[in-house]
Amino acid sequence: MPATFRCCLPSPTAAEEAPGALDPPASLDLSSSPGAHGAASAPGRTAADGHGALAPPLPAGLYVIPTPIGNLGDITLRAADTLRRVSLLLAEDTRHTRKLLNHLGVRHLQLLSCHDHNEKMRLGGVLQRLQAGEAVGLVSDAGMPGISDPGHEVVAAAIAAGVRVEVLPGPCAFVTALVGSGLPTDNFTFVGFLPPKSGARRKALERLASTPGTLVLYAPPHGLGSVLRDCAEVLGGGRRCCVAREVSKLHEEYFRSTLEGALREFTEVREPRGEICLLIEGAGDGDSFTAGGGGSAAADPGAVERVLRELLSGGMPVSSAVKEVVANLGANKKQAYAAALRLSASLGKGGQ
């Protein structure tokens, strides 16, 4: 069942894409990982603080530790310090996590697998160690545990048992993708993965069709075409969207278009690859779409210009951008072409 939560931020009281080259993510060969997980350390294990002195032991409790979503250099100082000082670490995939620990120089830490298929089975033993006074860490393969990843059951059980739970801030793929998409960030709904079957997926989308604010979804690369097709048909093909791929990794990409444009791109032009976050314009964020696909008969000039600017900024040729807004927003072709030429010239001179 897809996870859904809403976030609405107050509007401010007062009145991208040219990122620098990304450094390739650090990587380590898993074959160098030790076969054994190492012996369990005593509760309150200490670690060097970077100056040779030992840091004080961690208080007993569950530490939820976000980990990099692609680039090992994104680990925070606090997360690295906590990983060195817990006595037990629950990991979605121990082999994957061992790679991160080796990168940090953490060699003697007990790892225990905790994933979708065994999380509930682990609760008894984990709670016993927490109540005995140990500091226990929780990580997923990437990002924040519990967000479309294992972790919720452990956190809920610890809270119910009166155990101290500390959640560290850190990497989360959908938050990064949302900001980079260019879509509104003051009001959004995180949906997670939609149902894999089209019928259930379309019903879920029908419930989301009138939701204000940006819709944030995860999608598997092999199923992106089907997801985009259902989104275009149920939500309207003219809705702006962004397909964020491989966020924080070497081949990071933000493809900004409409749902119809993204559908054509990833079904007719190229095959989608990598980890994908799909962000879709919410109901009421623009008058550039109608439910059931296609654009309105009289397109809003402001919406047309906004979409043209985003398409051209993303590298789409003028003719292709004009076709997009004519087909999906119902724009007048002559007016759209004139606006596209003007915007293209402005962008070519460094305009935003």
Side-chain angles (χ1 to χ4, degrees), residues 340-351:
L341 288 176
R342 173 173 51 80
L343 290 170
S344 179
S346 174
L347 292 169
K349 296 175 182 178

Side-chain angles (χ1 to χ4, degrees), residues 266-347:
F266 292 104
T267 58
E268 301 175 12
V269 178
R270 55 174 162 146
E271 179 182 348
R273 298 180 183 276
E275 302 288 334
I276 292 172
C277 187
L278 174 61
L279 305 106
I280 304 171
E281 182 177 30
D285 288 340
D287 298 325
S288 59
F289 55 85
T290 56
S296 57
D300 173 33
V304 171
E305 184 162 325
R306 185 176 66 238
V307 173
L308 280 173
R309 181 182 295 275
E310 292 179 357
L311 296 176
L312 293 169
S313 297
M316 184 176 288
V318 167
S319 59
S320 298
V322 171
K323 288 180 181 178
E324 289 285 341
V325 297
V326 170
N328 298 320
L329 307 186
N332 176 279
K333 184 176 181 179
K334 183 177 180 180
Q335 294 175 352
Y337 193 75
L341 288 176
R342 173 173 51 80
L343 290 170
S344 179
S346 174
L347 292 169

Side-chain angles (χ1 to χ4, degrees), residues 42 138 168 197 348:
L138 171 66
L168 281 62
K197 294 186 177 181

Side-chain angles (χ1 to χ4, degrees), residues 200-228:
R201 185 164 58 233
R202 293 172 72 93
K203 287 182 179 179
L205 288 169
E206 287 169 2
R207 292 193 293 269
L208 294 166
S210 60
T211 301
T214 303
L215 303 178
V216 185
L217 300 82
Y218 287 145
H222 61 274
L224 179 61
S226 298
V227 170
L228 286 170

